[in-house]
Amino acid sequence: MLLVIPKLLDVARLQEVQGLLRHADFLDGKLSAGKEAQQVKHNQELSTNSPQRRRLDAIVMAALVQHPHYQAAVLPLRVASAFYVRYQVGMGYGFHIDDPVMGPMSGRYRSDVSTTIFLNDPEDYQGGELVIRNSFGEQVIKAPAGSAVIYPSNTWHQVTPVTQGERLVAVTWAQSLVKNAEQRELLYQLAQAREGLLTKMPVSEELAQLSTAYSNLVRMWSEV
């Protein structure tokens, strides 16, 4: 499932994030890549020791993990700290698949769901499209600033080279309570249907049955 969450960050938060990144130190993105990814990865990442990181996480990651659609679609068990990434002219990230297991030895997690959060306007740069390859072909995404795109980590994807301007994004990964992507998609659909019934028929046998089915499927499929 590919899901776009529009307006995850409002204008005021985006302006603060952009200001923090404008004065931040960036390093070669190859430093955090494995041997295979190093061949196709050409970007810059915020230093892990950056003094701006704590405030950035308080704005960006707090908005993401608290968003009801993110919680319903991802069912997160563990969420990684974000990478704040800059693509300048000539930079891109060729087709790759995310590492299946990430994090330090003291905090390893399985990457089930990837998320890209767009931090500046698509008019600020040319190129820099996120291209996700799945069974339906390739989907090209260049979302408005403040939007988040959620997609399975086992899909091949790339960032096309930036030809003008600068692209700013935050990228993070999550280990889900439900490992199987098709099961997660079904649970998300059921969760959305339940929200609709809560609005239209808050006291009904149909809502009770749907909530029971949803809860029992999460219990059946989740890994804790």
Side-chain angles (χ1 to χ4, degrees):
M1 178 176 63
L2 189 153
L3 176 68
V4 178
I5 300 177
K7 299 180 180 178
L8 176 74
L9 300 174
D10 59 24
V11 173
R13 289 176 177 176
L14 278 171
Q15 289 177 344
E16 183 174 358
V17 167
Q18 292 166 2
L20 289 166
L21 293 175
R22 193 174 299 121
H23 303 289
D25 293 326
F26 284 82
L27 304 174
D28 189 341
K30 291 182 184 292
L31 296 174
S32 66
K35 289 183 179 180
E36 187 173 356
Q38 286 178 359
Q39 307 303 313
V40 295
K41 186 176 184 179
H42 305 284
N43 60 20
Q44 297 174 334
E45 296 172 349
L46 183 70
S47 168
T48 56
N49 299 320
S50 172
Q52 290 91 344
R53 176 172 290 277
R54 178 173 295 182
R55 180 57 185 162
L56 286 167
D57 284 345
I59 300 171
V60 177
M61 292 303 295
L64 179 67
V65 299
Q66 293 170 12
H67 197 283
H69 284 287
Y70 181 81
Q71 294 177 7
V74 177
L75 296 168
L77 176 63
R78 298 183 181 89
V79 180
S81 298
F83 281 64
Y84 297 93
V85 187
R86 180 171 70 184
Y87 290 83
Q88 296 180 319
V89 174
M91 295 182 180
Y93 199 158
F95 269 112
H96 64 284
I97 191 168
D98 292 331
D99 290 340
V101 179
M102 299 184 182
M105 293 303 296
S106 59
R108 305 288 269 173
Y109 62 93
R110 186 184 64 241
S111 62
D112 295 323
V113 183
S114 302
T115 302
T116 297
I117 304 163
F118 292 82
L119 300 179
N120 63 336
D121 291 318
E123 295 79 16
D124 292 342
Y125 57 95
Q126 297 296 320
E129 292 88 359
L130 173 63
V131 182
I132 300 173
R133 183 181 292 166
N134 57 29
S135 58
F136 298 102
E138 293 184 356
Q139 295 180 267
V140 181
I141 302 166
K142 194 173 183 180
S147 302
V149 179
I150 300 168
Y151 50 98
S153 299
N154 62 359
T155 53
W156 285 85
H157 54 281
Q158 71 162 335
V159 177
T160 63
V162 171
T163 58
Q164 182 179 330
E166 180 177 84
R167 177 185 191 260
L168 297 172
V169 296
V171 182
T172 184
W173 299 266
Q175 178 174 335
S176 177
L177 287 165
V178 177
K179 182 178 181 180
N180 184 279
E182 293 180 351
Q183 292 173 345
R184 287 198 306 273
E185 183 171 4
L186 176 59
L187 288 170
Y188 179 69
Q189 292 169 349
L190 290 174
Q192 294 304 103
R194 185 174 63 171
E195 287 299 313
L197 280 178
L198 278 169
T199 301
K200 298 176 182 178
M201 304 168 61
V203 182
S204 65
E205 182 64 25
E206 290 84 356
L207 176 59
Q209 290 176 344
L210 180 57
S211 294
T212 299
Y214 176 83
S215 298
N216 285 335
L217 284 174
V218 172
R219 184 175 292 107
M220 182 187 302
W221 292 337
S222 60
E223 302 175 6
V224 182

